[in-house]
Amino acid sequence: MQDTALYVVATPIGNLQDMTPRAVDVLNQVAVIAAEDTRHSARLMAHFNIKTPLISVHEHNERQRVERILQYLSQGESVALISDAGTPVISDPGFVLVRAVREAGFRVVPVPGCVAFVTALCASGLPSDRFSFEGFPPAKSQARQQFYRERETLPHTLVFYESPHRILASLTDMAEVFGPQRRAAVARELTKTFETIHCAPLAELLDWMAADSNQQRGEFVLMVEGAVPKPADQLDDEALRVLDILLAELSVKQSSALAAQITGIKKKLLYQAALERS
Ligand code: SAM
């Protein structure tokens, strides 16, 4: 191992064979391992026969722990950061620590490995040339629907984490907001015995999951394909609905201009339709 540093070390998301040899080396060589849950990580340490002491760094004590970790680093001792599974900092604690360590002028060295959303996406069959990782949707249905609505027209693949308690409700909200025909994928229990990756239009995916309670157990990544942009030279039902509302109050010219702004459809087309409907 090189200089004194905070090593951000990825650990497996299920299958222990996904632990990298470099991760084992680093965890053996640092002075201390900052772990999200020391009891959970003790099992990983035992499996790889790593004897390095563990200290806890979680959501509730991360700020206090920063000082202690900076002390180790200023004494020339390296520290590793791990989480319960996958890459620390990704929907896991560590951001506050990493930023503080960098600001204090110490090196932060990533030791890459598993990330659940990359693992899911690469096998989903959904487009991955552009995607965004959106983390966990809100727990309450109203906020979750709003959260999905804000992302409804994004043109790239969207990737979410979801808990087993909410997977069915979340998928139901998704089908409602993104529409039953939008393609989506569920990746469950990745790298584990019951790994399942299923890709289908949202309505089908929902039926498939609702029909089998086993498919609602475990850990999940949800993915949905991006929106297909509406062609600007094609009128659809939604555009005509908007136009009719405007025509009830405004002139043909004003209605078609506003409808063009709202829908993104060409003004000329809307003007023609407005003339026919007024
Ligand atoms: N830091 C982790 C990473 O690199 O992916 C994510 C931690 S986050 C607290 C835990 C969530 O990740 C789970 O609720 C689930 O959505 C997803 N996840 C973790 N392991 C998974 C697995 N084996 N299969 C599917 N999803 C998984």
Side-chain angles (χ1 to χ4, degrees):
M1 205 164 56
Q2 306 156 350
D3 322 336
T4 304
L6 172 70
Y7 290 85
V8 181
V9 181
T11 59
I13 57 169
N15 189 330
L16 291 181
Q17 289 186 338
D18 291 332
M19 185 79 167
T20 69
R22 185 171 168 225
V24 175
D25 280 352
V26 168
L27 294 181
N28 268 315
Q29 287 168 32
V30 292
V32 67
I33 300 169
E36 186 185 1
D37 176 344
T38 52
R39 279 211 300 197
H40 177 96
S41 294
R43 293 194 284 274
L44 185 76
M45 300 301 118
H47 183 87
F48 290 101
N49 199 23
I50 296 166
K51 304 271 195 270
T52 310
L54 295 168
I55 58 167
S56 74
V57 174
H58 47 71
E59 233 189 310
H60 307 292
N61 72 355
E62 194 175 348
R63 282 171 204 278
Q64 294 105 282
R65 282 293 195 244
V66 165
E67 283 314 311
R68 188 154 164 206
I69 288 167
L70 288 176
Q71 267 173 15
Y72 277 104
L73 295 170
S74 43
Q75 285 161 7
E77 294 188 303
S78 288
V79 178
L81 172 69
I82 61 173
S83 63
D84 288 353
T87 300
V89 187
I90 305 299
S91 290
D92 266 338
F95 165 69
V96 171
L97 177 64
V98 167
R99 178 176 270 191
V101 167
R102 291 185 66 83
E103 280 175 1
F106 294 104
R107 270 173 33 110
V108 177
V109 178
V111 181
C114 296
V115 189
F117 75 81
V118 174
T119 311
L121 184 63
C122 71
S124 67
L126 292 178
S128 54
D129 51 342
R130 276 195 66 203
F131 68 90
S132 60
F133 171 58
E134 302 288 337
F136 284 93
K140 298 225 166 81
S141 181
Q142 213 181 349
R144 188 169 55 232
Q145 285 185 8
Q146 178 62 23
F147 175 86
Y148 285 149
R149 264 197 295 276
E150 284 160 12
R151 289 154 178 80
E152 186 195 343
T153 56
L154 292 175
H156 54 264
T157 299
L158 304 171
V159 186
F160 307 92
Y161 284 167
E162 192 50 282
S163 91
H165 317 294
R166 294 189 277 273
I167 189 71
L168 207 55
S170 201
L171 208 51
T172 306
D173 290 342
M174 256 188 179
E176 205 172 301
V177 173
F178 296 109
Q181 293 312 319
R182 183 92 71 101
R183 279 188 82 72
V186 170
R188 180 176 83 95
E189 293 289 88
L190 291 163
T191 78
K192 304 185 208 176
T193 312
F194 296 108
E195 178 180 273
T196 314
I197 303 168
H198 193 63
C199 184
L202 273 163
E204 271 178 46
L205 208 53
L206 189 56
D207 288 348
W208 167 80
M209 186 174 281
D212 182 355
S213 61
N214 284 325
Q215 294 302 342
Q216 300 162 32
R217 299 209 177 110
E219 297 195 275
F220 293 89
V221 181
L222 278 177
M223 293 153 281
V224 63
E225 196 164 295
V228 178
K230 283 185 194 157
D233 52 4
Q234 212 172 298
L235 284 176
D236 57 17
D237 290 348
E238 178 59 12
L240 294 175
R241 192 182 72 82
V242 169
L243 193 59
D244 286 341
I245 293 170
L246 294 168
L247 276 171
E249 304 290 336
L250 302 166
S251 70
V252 165
K253 197 172 167 204
Q254 286 170 318
S255 301
S256 47
L258 277 175
Q261 272 185 42
I262 295 167
T263 62
I265 294 169
K266 281 183 183 157
K267 195 160 75 181
K268 210 169 133 191
L269 252 159
L270 286 157
Y271 184 78
Q272 201 56 46
L275 279 179
E276 286 161 19
R277 296 167 92 79
S278 60

